[in-house]
Amino acid sequence: MRSEPMKRDLENSVGELTRLAELGQIFARHGLKNLGSLLGIMPVSEKEPDTEDLRPASVVALLRDVGPVGIKLGQLLATRSDLFTQPWISAFGTLHDQVEPLPFDKIEPVIVSAWGSDWEREFAAFERNPIASASIAQTYVATLLDGSETIVKIRRPGMASRIEADMRLLTRLAGLAERRSSDIARYRPVEFLQTFAKNLAREMDLAAEARACERIGGYLEMLGVKTPAIHWELTGLTINVQEALGGKPASRHPATDPAGNAQFAKRYADAVLRMILLNGEFHGDPHPGNVFWMEGNQVGFIDFGSVGFLSGARRQEIVRLIFAIANEQIDKVADVLLDWAGNPLVERAQLVMDLDELIAEFRGTALAGIEFAAIFDQVFGLLRDYRLVLPPDLAILLRTLLTAEGFVRSLAPDYNIAEETKPIVMQLFAERFSIGAARNHLAKVRSGLLDFSASLPELIENVASVARSGTIQVSIDPASLNHLTREGHRSTPVKGPVVAALIVSAALLADQSLLLAGIVVAFAVFALVRKWN
């Protein structure tokens, strides 16, 4: 009898073969046999398959037919101006994640599985017609027994297994395409799809969405921004129940008050920028439908299914990039961009010249006169020309920024989000160069110095021993060797331990006084120089 893992693998393989055949039919139906051959979905034709004849409309229609994964993938690609030109971005932007709702009798088994057959006892009222229906979940309104108005999000049945199977298959096909085409490999589709799969898995876990809402909401609360409270007693993997925010979605708010618009835009932009640059975890899709306009022009955020993350290291890289641009250090700008792209082979000298020309366009322009969209449009064009691919976390960041700027400008055309970035970036700089950050950096240096100083006397002795034995060739002046070993210079070797002691002392002093530590390091360097003179 087959073991369970072997049986499961066989079932997966059979399922993937069936799905592969379905995908082949979809590719053929949309006239995309060349792309299907390149991906390994269809037989390879006699001529080398290429993608030159791809049309945006055909690819978008194909993604729509693929189903939820195709739609979600297309929506993500709509944010990748570093990969696609505007006709493609516009076409991908037509993929809306709105589907025909399932009737309630198809959704109710999910509720029963989560809450039991007597689930209706938890509610004073439950509206069975959904207010929204997307590929992953449907959303309902309900009233708890205590009168609290809630939003109930329920995952569509069978969705998890279908999406997981499609993502497994797509990732394998991407790996095959990478091996077949060096041009495709340059865009790292496997890495892209792996990140996409993680985000999609997080979106399917409705409890994970609720946790993200609470984490980011805790930060936003300090800024006076509202997020829904979670009813954890009713929330799990397939259902989450959250507070219904007052007000209405910003997409439906009549923007008839210029002063109120400007106030709301400022609060919204400040929240988005601080989430990104200071908190490091942020709402990944802050479009007007996910933003609530509340009483007193207060801002609220809902739907934390899409979340962006920026590590501390990544935020420091952004600071480096901003510094390099501000100081017109074009080589350093190129370094950061190439590092993000995986250091591919490019005409570096030409890239530096093109970057210099791009930055020169904004040289001398006041920050208030610069639009993010204008900068990004040119930067993305340059990235496409050199086929430099941004890491997925930065792609989400840029999507968020562009979404935010577009929304802000629709509310207050004269408002400039770039100007609002200045105090936040200055705070980020202050964090980077604070005493605490300096101490953390120095602690790492100190650890290295302690290791080095501990081995320094032994290192000096080993070098002298190897040189005397002649077991390996060492380029060394014999007069200097005699100088080290002569009786008349017995005091010379003592300086090694002295230098080591000074380095250790500096490392220990660092926690108490950076100034004293610096002075001691200076003495250590002076002693080391004197030792070898």
Side-chain angles (χ1 to χ4, degrees):
M1 185 176 180
R2 289 191 183 94
S3 66
E4 281 301 312
M6 287 179 64
K7 183 179 178 182
R8 197 158 48 245
D9 287 345
L10 181 60
E11 289 172 352
N12 286 341
S13 298
V14 172
E16 286 179 6
L17 287 173
T18 303
R19 183 57 170 158
L20 197 63
E22 291 175 358
L23 290 175
Q25 293 173 358
I26 294 172
F27 273 74
R29 183 160 65 245
H30 293 286
L32 296 170
K33 293 183 179 180
N34 277 352
L35 180 59
S37 297
L38 196 61
L39 294 174
I41 293 173
M42 307 183 73
V44 179
S45 58
E46 293 182 4
K47 67 174 186 176
E48 182 72 19
D50 64 69
T51 58
E52 292 298 321
D53 58 347
L54 290 181
R55 291 181 297 110
S58 298
V59 173
V60 165
L62 178 145
L63 289 172
R64 193 176 283 116
D65 274 4
V66 166
V69 167
I71 292 171
K72 292 285 185 183
L73 182 59
Q75 289 178 323
L76 183 57
L77 293 178
T79 69
R80 297 303 301 265
S81 295
D82 58 320
L83 300 177
F84 299 98
T85 56
Q86 191 54 48
W88 283 94
I89 297 298
S90 298
F92 288 135
T94 64
L95 284 166
H96 301 296
D97 191 17
Q98 297 170 352
V99 299
E100 282 294 314
L102 287 175
F104 191 77
D105 61 350
K106 301 291 185 183
I107 289 289
E108 189 171 17
V110 180
I111 301 176
V112 172
S113 177
W115 296 337
S117 57
D118 58 349
W119 64 269
E120 290 182 89
R121 294 183 181 180
E122 301 285 348
F123 298 92
F126 193 106
E127 176 57 55
R128 282 165 164 72
N129 291 319
I131 58 172
S133 178
S135 57
I136 289 178
Q138 295 187 180
T139 306
Y140 301 81
V141 295
T143 306
L144 297 180
L145 296 177
D146 64 3
S148 301
E149 297 296 325
T150 66
I151 299 296
V152 182
K153 194 170 183 179
I154 306 172
R155 195 171 74 190
R156 294 163 73 99
M159 193 53 56
S161 57
R162 179 181 175 184
I163 287 178
E164 287 169 7
D166 274 4
M167 285 310 309
R168 257 194 329 267
L169 182 57
L170 284 176
T171 304
R172 287 185 186 179
L173 293 173
L176 179 62
E178 277 192 9
R179 292 190 293 274
R180 285 187 173 184
S181 168
S182 58
D183 284 341
I184 288 181
R186 186 163 186 159
Y187 293 102
R188 297 177 286 177
V190 171
E191 179 188 348
F192 173 81
L193 285 174
Q194 286 172 341
T195 302
F196 174 57
K198 287 178 185 177
N199 292 336
L200 205 50
R202 192 160 42 238
E203 195 170 344
M204 285 191 296
D205 183 349
L206 301 188
E209 176 188 332
R211 289 192 295 272
C213 180
E214 282 202 341
R215 284 195 311 274
I216 301 174
Y219 178 78
L220 290 174
E221 186 178 10
M222 298 187 295
L223 306 178
V225 174
K226 179 72 174 170
T227 55
I230 304 299
H231 293 276
W232 283 108
E233 73 280 4
L234 295 170
T235 293
L237 181 69
T238 57
I239 303 178
N240 76 39
V241 181
Q242 53 191 270
E243 171 191 8
L245 292 185
K248 62 180 64 176
S251 57
R252 300 209 310 263
H253 190 276
T256 55
D257 174 17
N261 294 351
Q263 186 182 49
F264 185 86
K266 178 177 175 61
R267 289 173 176 173
Y268 165 83
D270 185 69
V272 170
L273 292 169
R274 289 182 183 276
M275 273 192 292
I276 292 170
L277 293 174
L278 300 178
N279 190 50
E281 185 179 15
F282 55 93
H283 195 301
D285 195 16
H287 65 74
N290 287 336
V291 181
F292 264 59
W293 201 310
M294 305 176 70
E295 187 177 355
N297 296 321
Q298 186 183 17
V299 177
F301 284 95
I302 64 167
D303 193 353
F304 287 79
S306 175
V307 174
F309 299 91
L310 283 182
S311 66
R314 184 71 83 203
R315 279 181 282 161
Q316 297 305 329
E317 289 168 0
I318 292 171
V319 172
R320 279 175 48 212
L321 184 63
I322 294 171
F323 258 129
I325 293 172
N327 295 320
E328 297 186 18
Q329 297 170 316
I330 312 302
D331 273 310
K332 291 185 178 179
V333 175
D335 286 341
V336 174
L337 293 179
L338 288 172
D339 184 52
W340 284 347
N343 291 306
L345 292 174
V346 298
E347 293 279 349
R348 182 189 168 84
Q350 185 60 48
L351 173 62
V352 169
M353 289 176 61
D354 289 343
L355 284 169
D356 189 37
E357 184 178 333
L358 189 155
I359 291 172
E361 290 188 34
F362 301 97
R363 193 171 287 142
T365 305
L367 187 58
I370 296 176
E371 296 183 16
F372 279 162
I375 297 174
F376 289 152
D377 186 53
Q378 295 188 54
V379 170
F380 287 150
L382 199 59
L383 292 175
R384 288 194 303 271
D385 288 344
Y386 285 89
R387 297 160 77 189
L388 302 178
V389 182
L390 290 174
D393 59 339
L394 287 175
I396 294 175
L397 160 68
L398 293 175
R399 176 186 72 178
T400 303
L401 284 175
L402 291 174
T403 299
E405 187 183 39
F407 177 40
V408 166
R409 288 191 182 281
S410 72
L411 291 175
D414 296 332
Y415 184 83
N416 194 283
I417 196 171
E419 184 69 23
E420 292 300 312
T421 309
K422 283 198 297 188
I424 299 170
V425 170
M426 291 309 297
Q427 186 174 340
L428 188 61
F429 287 168
E431 286 183 6
R432 183 183 183 190
F433 297 112
S434 67
I435 294 296
R439 284 189 193 280
N440 290 338
H441 181 70
L442 197 56
K444 296 177 183 177
V445 174
R446 178 178 63 184
S447 176
L449 288 175
L450 286 169
D451 291 342
F452 173 73
S453 62
S455 61
L456 188 58
E458 182 181 353
L459 180 62
I460 294 170
E461 178 58 33
N462 285 343
V463 170
S465 173
V466 169
R468 283 195 299 266
S469 67
T471 54
I472 61 172
Q473 279 195 325
V474 177
S475 180
I476 188 167
D477 182 2
S480 297
L481 185 58
N482 291 335
H483 181 73
L484 283 171
T485 55
R486 266 203 322 267
E487 274 302 312
H489 291 81
R490 286 181 182 270
S491 60
T492 301
V494 177
K495 289 185 180 176
V498 169
V499 172
L502 286 171
I503 292 172
V504 172
S505 300
L508 295 174
L509 279 169
D511 279 332
Q512 307 303 319
S513 170
L514 293 175
L515 178 60
L516 285 176
I519 292 171
V520 174
V521 168
F523 273 115
V525 172
F526 176 77
L528 195 60
V529 170
R530 286 291 305 274
K531 168 180 169 53
W532 295 110
N533 285 341

